[in-house]
Amino acid sequence: MICRLCPRNCGAERTPDRPGGVCGMPSEPVVARAMLHRWEEPCLVGERGAGTVFFSGCSLRCTFCQNRPISQEGVGKTVSAARLREIFQELIAQGAACLDLVTPSHFTPAILEALGKEAWPAPVVWNCGGYEKPETLRLLEGTVQVYLPDLKYALPGPAGTYSAAPDYFAWAAPAILEMVRQTGPYRLENGLLKSGVLIRHLLLPGELENTRRCIDWVAKTFRPGEVLFSLMSQYTPQSGAQGKLARHVTKAEYRAAAEYMENCGITDGYTQERTSAKEEYTPAFDLSGI
């Protein structure tokens, strides 16, 4: 296919055996791990964990990515849509609270084929970086019950510096609006998220103003009870990190961000203990479950 699934609009030729584009992936799904994952938000985990599938490749180039081996270095195994469907079924059989599809957007056609038309016994979660095209998201309507987008940036400066995407917010804002249009207000049953949108934001060291602007947009755009918001503190400096990104988020930074979130009236969601900033929370991408 000539790929224009993401905002990069690179027009690369991606075939089942030929990778291409900014994501560096073929059209067939490349998967690095499938597992019951307990480190997502509580409303996604349930008793056994989220049935998480980690896809390889990414249209962003985040310098701080904790999943770099799969997002930028190509670690993973190519599977057919039929095998991907089997992986989904195996996770459901293990008691997964949801099907948590991590960085899936560049494999949208194959994932839709794997999911098929029927309803699954657990919600399908589209766990993405927020840098999405609304027209691609519209292909998912009726198939995805929960959207889990990042809202990484509201300011073009850090978006360009850290993710080579100064236009990030110009795409993320309408993408999230499209997600909410599809799902409507979030719906919880027995503490589990059955449908809706949960927006994540990772606080970066030295970038408190960017966090404030992200919180401002969410607070001004959505009514209470419409979306969930997760303020994350888990930033972990990666090998070779320099400047601001060479350190963890401080207690004062995270306290200021959490207080700002509360003062803006965002009470539907989660804050995260700073102890979450540990490397062991990143799973081994060893192809298990594939």
Side-chain angles (χ1 to χ4, degrees), residues 112-160:
L112 284 172
E113 181 181 348
L115 288 169
K117 299 295 185 182
E118 72 276 18
W120 287 75
V124 176
V125 179
W126 202 256
N127 184 341
C128 63
Y131 193 55
E132 311 291 322
K133 291 178 75 172
E135 51 263 52
T136 300
L137 294 171
R138 283 193 281 272
L139 300 173
L140 304 170
E141 187 164 6
T143 300
V144 169
Q145 288 74 51
V146 174
Y147 284 99
L148 184 61
D150 290 332
L151 180 59
K152 296 177 185 289
Y153 312 104
L155 299 178

Short mmCIF file of all heavy atoms in Angstrom, two decimals, residues 112-160:
data_model
loop_
_atom_site.label_atom_id
_atom_site.label_comp_id
_atom_site.label_asym_id
_atom_site.label_seq_id
_atom_site.Cartn_x
_atom_site.Cartn_y
_atom_site.Cartn_z
N LEU A 112 -7.89 -4.29 11.86
CA LEU A 112 -9.32 -4.37 11.60
C LEU A 112 -9.68 -5.75 11.04
O LEU A 112 -10.72 -6.32 11.40
CB LEU A 112 -9.74 -3.26 10.63
CG LEU A 112 -9.86 -1.86 11.23
CD1 LEU A 112 -10.07 -0.84 10.13
CD2 LEU A 112 -10.99 -1.80 12.24
N GLU A 113 -8.83 -6.28 10.17
CA GLU A 113 -9.07 -7.62 9.64
C GLU A 113 -9.03 -8.66 10.75
O GLU A 113 -9.87 -9.57 10.81
CB GLU A 113 -8.04 -7.95 8.57
CG GLU A 113 -8.23 -9.33 7.94
CD GLU A 113 -7.16 -9.66 6.90
OE1 GLU A 113 -6.41 -8.75 6.49
OE2 GLU A 113 -7.08 -10.84 6.51
N ALA A 114 -8.07 -8.53 11.66
CA ALA A 114 -7.93 -9.49 12.75
C ALA A 114 -9.11 -9.42 13.72
O ALA A 114 -9.58 -10.45 14.21
CB ALA A 114 -6.63 -9.25 13.50
N LEU A 115 -9.59 -8.23 13.99
CA LEU A 115 -10.70 -8.07 14.93
C LEU A 115 -12.02 -8.55 14.34
O LEU A 115 -12.88 -9.06 15.05
CB LEU A 115 -10.82 -6.61 15.36
CG LEU A 115 -9.73 -6.10 16.32
CD1 LEU A 115 -9.81 -4.59 16.45
CD2 LEU A 115 -9.84 -6.77 17.69
N GLY A 116 -12.18 -8.35 13.04
CA GLY A 116 -13.42 -8.76 12.39
C GLY A 116 -14.58 -7.85 12.76
O GLY A 116 -14.41 -6.79 13.35
N LYS A 117 -15.79 -8.29 12.46
CA LYS A 117 -16.98 -7.47 12.66
C LYS A 117 -17.70 -7.75 13.97
O LYS A 117 -18.52 -6.94 14.40
CB LYS A 117 -17.96 -7.70 11.50
CG LYS A 117 -17.41 -7.33 10.12
CD LYS A 117 -17.14 -5.84 10.02
CE LYS A 117 -16.71 -5.46 8.60
NZ LYS A 117 -16.40 -4.01 8.48
N GLU A 118 -17.43 -8.91 14.58
CA GLU A 118 -18.22 -9.28 15.75
C GLU A 118 -17.70 -8.57 17.01
O GLU A 118 -16.57 -8.10 17.05
CB GLU A 118 -18.18 -10.79 15.97
CG GLU A 118 -16.86 -11.36 16.47
CD GLU A 118 -15.85 -11.63 15.36
OE1 GLU A 118 -16.01 -11.10 14.24
OE2 GLU A 118 -14.91 -12.39 15.62
N ALA A 119 -18.56 -8.51 18.02
CA ALA A 119 -18.18 -7.91 19.29
C ALA A 119 -17.28 -8.88 20.07
O ALA A 119 -17.52 -10.09 20.09
CB ALA A 119 -19.42 -7.57 20.10
N TRP A 120 -16.26 -8.34 20.74
CA TRP A 120 -15.38 -9.14 21.57
C TRP A 120 -15.88 -9.11 23.01
O TRP A 120 -16.56 -8.17 23.42
CB TRP A 120 -13.94 -8.61 21.47
CG TRP A 120 -13.32 -8.95 20.15
CD1 TRP A 120 -13.58 -8.36 18.95
CD2 TRP A 120 -12.39 -9.99 19.88
NE1 TRP A 120 -12.86 -8.96 17.95
CE2 TRP A 120 -12.11 -9.96 18.49
CE3 TRP A 120 -11.75 -10.94 20.68
CZ2 TRP A 120 -11.23 -10.85 17.89
CZ3 TRP A 120 -10.86 -11.82 20.08
CH2 TRP A 120 -10.61 -11.78 18.70
N PRO A 121 -15.55 -10.14 23.80
CA PRO A 121 -16.06 -10.19 25.18
C PRO A 121 -15.40 -9.20 26.13
O PRO A 121 -15.82 -9.09 27.28
CB PRO A 121 -15.77 -11.64 25.60
CG PRO A 121 -14.66 -12.08 24.72
CD PRO A 121 -14.85 -11.37 23.42
N ALA A 122 -14.38 -8.50 25.68
CA ALA A 122 -13.73 -7.45 26.47
C ALA A 122 -13.51 -6.25 25.56
O ALA A 122 -13.39 -6.39 24.34
CB ALA A 122 -12.40 -7.96 27.03
N PRO A 123 -13.47 -5.04 26.13
CA PRO A 123 -13.31 -3.84 25.29
C PRO A 123 -12.00 -3.86 24.50
O PRO A 123 -10.96 -4.32 24.99
CB PRO A 123 -13.31 -2.70 26.31
CG PRO A 123 -13.93 -3.25 27.54
CD PRO A 123 -13.61 -4.71 27.55
N VAL A 124 -12.06 -3.35 23.28
CA VAL A 124 -10.87 -3.14 22.46
C VAL A 124 -10.35 -1.73 22.76
O VAL A 124 -11.09 -0.75 22.63
CB VAL A 124 -11.17 -3.29 20.96
CG1 VAL A 124 -9.93 -2.96 20.13
CG2 VAL A 124 -11.67 -4.70 20.66
N VAL A 125 -9.09 -1.65 23.18
CA VAL A 125 -8.47 -0.38 23.60
C VAL A 125 -7.43 0.03 22.56
O VAL A 125 -6.49 -0.72 22.29
CB VAL A 125 -7.82 -0.52 24.99
CG1 VAL A 125 -7.16 0.80 25.40
CG2 VAL A 125 -8.85 -0.94 26.02
N TRP A 126 -7.59 1.23 22.00
CA TRP A 126 -6.63 1.77 21.02
C TRP A 126 -5.66 2.67 21.78
O TRP A 126 -5.95 3.81 22.07
CB TRP A 126 -7.40 2.55 19.95
CG TRP A 126 -6.67 2.72 18.65
CD1 TRP A 126 -6.05 3.86 18.19
CD2 TRP A 126 -6.53 1.75 17.60
NE1 TRP A 126 -5.52 3.65 16.95
CE2 TRP A 126 -5.80 2.36 16.55
CE3 TRP A 126 -6.94 0.43 17.46
CZ2 TRP A 126 -5.49 1.69 15.37
CZ3 TRP A 126 -6.62 -0.24 16.30
CH2 TRP A 126 -5.90 0.39 15.28
N ASN A 127 -4.50 2.12 22.12
CA ASN A 127 -3.52 2.77 22.99
C ASN A 127 -2.46 3.42 22.10
O ASN A 127 -1.54 2.76 21.61
CB ASN A 127 -2.90 1.69 23.90
CG ASN A 127 -1.93 2.24 24.91
OD1 ASN A 127 -1.41 3.34 24.78
ND2 ASN A 127 -1.65 1.43 25.93
N CYS A 128 -2.60 4.72 21.87
CA CYS A 128 -1.81 5.38 20.81
C CYS A 128 -1.13 6.65 21.32
O CYS A 128 -1.41 7.14 22.41
CB CYS A 128 -2.70 5.71 19.62
SG CYS A 128 -4.03 6.89 19.99
N GLY A 129 -0.25 7.19 20.48
CA GLY A 129 0.54 8.36 20.86
C GLY A 129 -0.16 9.69 20.70
O GLY A 129 0.43 10.73 21.00
N GLY A 130 -1.39 9.68 20.20
CA GLY A 130 -2.13 10.93 20.03
C GLY A 130 -1.87 11.63 18.72
O GLY A 130 -2.67 12.48 18.31
N TYR A 131 -0.80 11.28 18.04
CA TYR A 131 -0.46 11.90 16.75
C TYR A 131 -1.16 11.09 15.66
O TYR A 131 -0.57 10.24 15.01
CB TYR A 131 1.06 11.88 16.59
CG TYR A 131 1.63 12.73 15.47
CD1 TYR A 131 1.35 14.08 15.38
CD2 TYR A 131 2.50 12.17 14.54
CE1 TYR A 131 1.90 14.87 14.38
CE2 TYR A 131 3.07 12.94 13.54
CZ TYR A 131 2.75 14.28 13.46
OH TYR A 131 3.31 15.05 12.45
N GLU A 132 -2.45 11.37 15.50
CA GLU A 132 -3.32 10.53 14.69
C GLU A 132 -4.09 11.37 13.67
O GLU A 132 -4.35 12.56 13.90
CB GLU A 132 -4.35 9.81 15.58
CG GLU A 132 -3.76 9.11 16.79
CD GLU A 132 -2.92 7.91 16.44
OE1 GLU A 132 -3.30 7.18 15.50
OE2 GLU A 132 -1.88 7.70 17.10
N LYS A 133 -4.52 10.72 12.58
CA LYS A 133 -5.38 11.38 11.60
C LYS A 133 -6.83 11.02 11.89
O LYS A 133 -7.17 9.83 12.00
CB LYS A 133 -5.01 10.93 10.18
CG LYS A 133 -3.67 11.43 9.71
CD LYS A 133 -3.34 10.92 8.32
CE LYS A 133 -4.13 11.63 7.24
NZ LYS A 133 -3.65 11.25 5.88
N PRO A 134 -7.72 12.00 12.02
CA PRO A 134 -9.13 11.68 12.26
C PRO A 134 -9.72 10.75 11.22
O PRO A 134 -10.54 9.89 11.55
CB PRO A 134 -9.80 13.06 12.26
CG PRO A 134 -8.72 14.00 12.74
CD PRO A 134 -7.45 13.46 12.13
N GLU A 135 -9.31 10.89 9.97
CA GLU A 135 -9.88 10.01 8.94
C GLU A 135 -9.47 8.56 9.13
O GLU A 135 -10.23 7.63 8.80
CB GLU A 135 -9.53 10.48 7.53
CG GLU A 135 -8.07 10.74 7.28
CD GLU A 135 -7.70 12.21 7.43
OE1 GLU A 135 -8.03 12.81 8.48
OE2 GLU A 135 -7.07 12.75 6.49
N THR A 136 -8.28 8.32 9.67
CA THR A 136 -7.89 6.95 10.00
C THR A 136 -8.70 6.43 11.19
O THR A 136 -9.16 5.29 11.19
CB THR A 136 -6.39 6.88 10.31
OG1 THR A 136 -5.64 7.31 9.16
CG2 THR A 136 -5.96 5.45 10.65
N LEU A 137 -8.88 7.28 12.18
CA LEU A 137 -9.67 6.89 13.34
C LEU A 137 -11.11 6.54 12.96
O LEU A 137 -11.72 5.65 13.56
CB LEU A 137 -9.67 8.01 14.38
CG LEU A 137 -8.33 8.33 15.03
CD1 LEU A 137 -8.42 9.60 15.86
CD2 LEU A 137 -7.86 7.16 15.89
N ARG A 138 -11.64 7.22 11.96
CA ARG A 138 -13.02 6.94 11.56
C ARG A 138 -13.20 5.52 11.03
O ARG A 138 -14.30 4.97 11.07
CB ARG A 138 -13.49 7.98 10.54
CG ARG A 138 -13.86 9.32 11.20
CD ARG A 138 -14.60 10.23 10.25
NE ARG A 138 -13.70 10.89 9.32
CZ ARG A 138 -13.09 12.06 9.57
NH1 ARG A 138 -13.30 12.67 10.73
NH2 ARG A 138 -12.30 12.61 8.68
N LEU A 139 -12.12 4.91 10.56
CA LEU A 139 -12.18 3.52 10.12
C LEU A 139 -12.47 2.58 11.28
O LEU A 139 -12.95 1.46 11.08
CB LEU A 139 -10.86 3.11 9.46
CG LEU A 139 -10.41 3.88 8.22
CD1 LEU A 139 -9.01 3.46 7.81
CD2 LEU A 139 -11.39 3.67 7.07
N LEU A 140 -12.21 3.03 12.50
CA LEU A 140 -12.32 2.19 13.69
C LEU A 140 -13.68 2.28 14.36
O LEU A 140 -13.96 1.54 15.30
CB LEU A 140 -11.24 2.59 14.70
CG LEU A 140 -9.79 2.58 14.21
CD1 LEU A 140 -8.88 3.22 15.24
CD2 LEU A 140 -9.35 1.15 13.92
N GLU A 141 -14.52 3.18 13.89
CA GLU A 141 -15.80 3.41 14.57
C GLU A 141 -16.62 2.13 14.62
O GLU A 141 -16.80 1.44 13.61
CB GLU A 141 -16.58 4.51 13.87
CG GLU A 141 -17.83 4.92 14.62
CD GLU A 141 -18.41 6.24 14.14
OE1 GLU A 141 -17.91 6.81 13.14
OE2 GLU A 141 -19.36 6.72 14.79
N GLY A 142 -17.10 1.82 15.82
CA GLY A 142 -17.87 0.61 16.03
C GLY A 142 -17.03 -0.61 16.38
O GLY A 142 -17.57 -1.63 16.81
N THR A 143 -15.72 -0.52 16.19
CA THR A 143 -14.82 -1.63 16.49
C THR A 143 -14.04 -1.39 17.78
O THR A 143 -13.80 -2.32 18.55
CB THR A 143 -13.83 -1.86 15.32
OG1 THR A 143 -14.56 -2.15 14.13
CG2 THR A 143 -12.88 -3.00 15.61
N VAL A 144 -13.64 -0.15 18.02
CA VAL A 144 -12.89 0.22 19.22
C VAL A 144 -13.85 0.82 20.24
O VAL A 144 -14.62 1.72 19.92
CB VAL A 144 -11.77 1.22 18.87
CG1 VAL A 144 -11.16 1.82 20.13
CG2 VAL A 144 -10.70 0.55 18.02
N GLN A 145 -13.80 0.30 21.46
CA GLN A 145 -14.67 0.81 22.53
C GLN A 145 -13.98 1.86 23.40
O GLN A 145 -14.62 2.77 23.92
CB GLN A 145 -15.15 -0.34 23.43
CG GLN A 145 -16.16 -1.25 22.79
CD GLN A 145 -15.54 -2.17 21.76
OE1 GLN A 145 -14.55 -2.85 22.02
NE2 GLN A 145 -16.12 -2.21 20.57
N VAL A 146 -12.66 1.71 23.58
CA VAL A 146 -11.92 2.61 24.46
C VAL A 146 -10.72 3.18 23.69
O VAL A 146 -9.95 2.43 23.10
CB VAL A 146 -11.42 1.88 25.72
CG1 VAL A 146 -10.51 2.79 26.55
CG2 VAL A 146 -12.59 1.39 26.56
N TYR A 147 -10.59 4.48 23.73
CA TYR A 147 -9.40 5.14 23.19
C TYR A 147 -8.51 5.59 24.34
O TYR A 147 -8.99 6.19 25.32
CB TYR A 147 -9.77 6.33 22.31
CG TYR A 147 -10.30 5.93 20.95
CD1 TYR A 147 -11.67 5.89 20.70
CD2 TYR A 147 -9.43 5.58 19.92
CE1 TYR A 147 -12.16 5.52 19.45
CE2 TYR A 147 -9.90 5.21 18.68
CZ TYR A 147 -11.26 5.19 18.45
OH TYR A 147 -11.75 4.82 17.21
N LEU A 148 -7.23 5.30 24.21
CA LEU A 148 -6.24 5.63 25.24
C LEU A 148 -5.12 6.43 24.58
O LEU A 148 -4.02 5.92 24.36
CB LEU A 148 -5.72 4.33 25.86
CG LEU A 148 -4.76 4.39 27.03
CD1 LEU A 148 -5.39 5.10 28.22
CD2 LEU A 148 -4.31 2.99 27.44
N PRO A 149 -5.39 7.69 24.23
CA PRO A 149 -4.37 8.49 23.55
C PRO A 149 -3.46 9.22 24.54
O PRO A 149 -3.88 9.64 25.62
CB PRO A 149 -5.20 9.51 22.77
CG PRO A 149 -6.38 9.76 23.69
CD PRO A 149 -6.67 8.41 24.33
N ASP A 150 -2.21 9.38 24.16
CA ASP A 150 -1.36 10.36 24.82
C ASP A 150 -1.78 11.75 24.35
O ASP A 150 -2.21 11.92 23.21
CB ASP A 150 0.11 10.15 24.44
CG ASP A 150 0.71 8.89 25.03
OD1 ASP A 150 0.26 8.45 26.11
OD2 ASP A 150 1.63 8.34 24.40
N LEU A 151 -1.62 12.71 25.23
CA LEU A 151 -1.59 14.11 24.83
C LEU A 151 -0.24 14.62 25.31
O LEU A 151 -0.08 15.12 26.41
CB LEU A 151 -2.74 14.90 25.45
CG LEU A 151 -2.80 16.39 25.10
CD1 LEU A 151 -2.90 16.60 23.59
CD2 LEU A 151 -3.96 17.08 25.82
N LYS A 152 0.76 14.42 24.47
CA LYS A 152 2.14 14.67 24.86
C LYS A 152 2.46 16.15 24.96
O LYS A 152 3.20 16.58 25.86
CB LYS A 152 3.10 14.02 23.87
CG LYS A 152 3.03 12.50 23.81
CD LYS A 152 3.99 11.96 22.75
CE LYS A 152 3.85 10.46 22.57
NZ LYS A 152 4.39 9.72 23.74
N TYR A 153 1.95 16.91 24.02
CA TYR A 153 2.35 18.32 23.91
C TYR A 153 1.17 19.21 23.53
O TYR A 153 0.31 18.81 22.75
CB TYR A 153 3.40 18.51 22.81
CG TYR A 153 4.56 17.54 22.83
CD1 TYR A 153 4.63 16.48 21.93
CD2 TYR A 153 5.60 17.69 23.74
CE1 TYR A 153 5.68 15.60 21.93
CE2 TYR A 153 6.66 16.80 23.75
CZ TYR A 153 6.70 15.76 22.84
OH TYR A 153 7.76 14.88 22.84
N ALA A 154 1.16 20.41 24.08
CA ALA A 154 0.31 21.47 23.58
C ALA A 154 1.15 22.58 22.96
O ALA A 154 0.62 23.47 22.29
CB ALA A 154 -0.56 22.03 24.70
N LEU A 155 2.46 22.54 23.19
CA LEU A 155 3.37 23.56 22.68
C LEU A 155 4.23 22.99 21.56
O LEU A 155 4.74 21.87 21.67
CB LEU A 155 4.27 24.08 23.81
CG LEU A 155 3.56 24.74 25.00
CD1 LEU A 155 4.57 25.14 26.06
CD2 LEU A 155 2.75 25.95 24.54
N PRO A 156 4.44 23.75 20.48
CA PRO A 156 5.21 23.23 19.35
C PRO A 156 6.70 23.08 19.65
O PRO A 156 7.37 22.24 19.03
CB PRO A 156 4.97 24.26 18.24
CG PRO A 156 4.60 25.52 18.96
CD PRO A 156 3.86 25.08 20.19
N GLY A 157 7.24 23.88 20.58
CA GLY A 157 8.67 23.81 20.87
C GLY A 157 9.11 22.44 21.33
O GLY A 157 9.92 21.78 20.67
N PRO A 158 8.61 21.97 22.48
CA PRO A 158 9.01 20.62 22.92
C PRO A 158 8.57 19.52 21.97
O PRO A 158 9.26 18.50 21.83
CB PRO A 158 8.36 20.49 24.30
CG PRO A 158 7.30 21.54 24.35
CD PRO A 158 7.77 22.65 23.48
N ALA A 159 7.43 19.71 21.28
CA ALA A 159 6.98 18.69 20.33
C ALA A 159 7.99 18.52 19.21
O ALA A 159 8.27 17.40 18.77
CB ALA A 159 5.62 19.08 19.76
N GLY A 160 8.53 19.62 18.73
CA GLY A 160 9.54 19.54 17.68
C GLY A 160 10.87 19.02 18.19
O GLY A 160 11.53 18.20 17.54
#
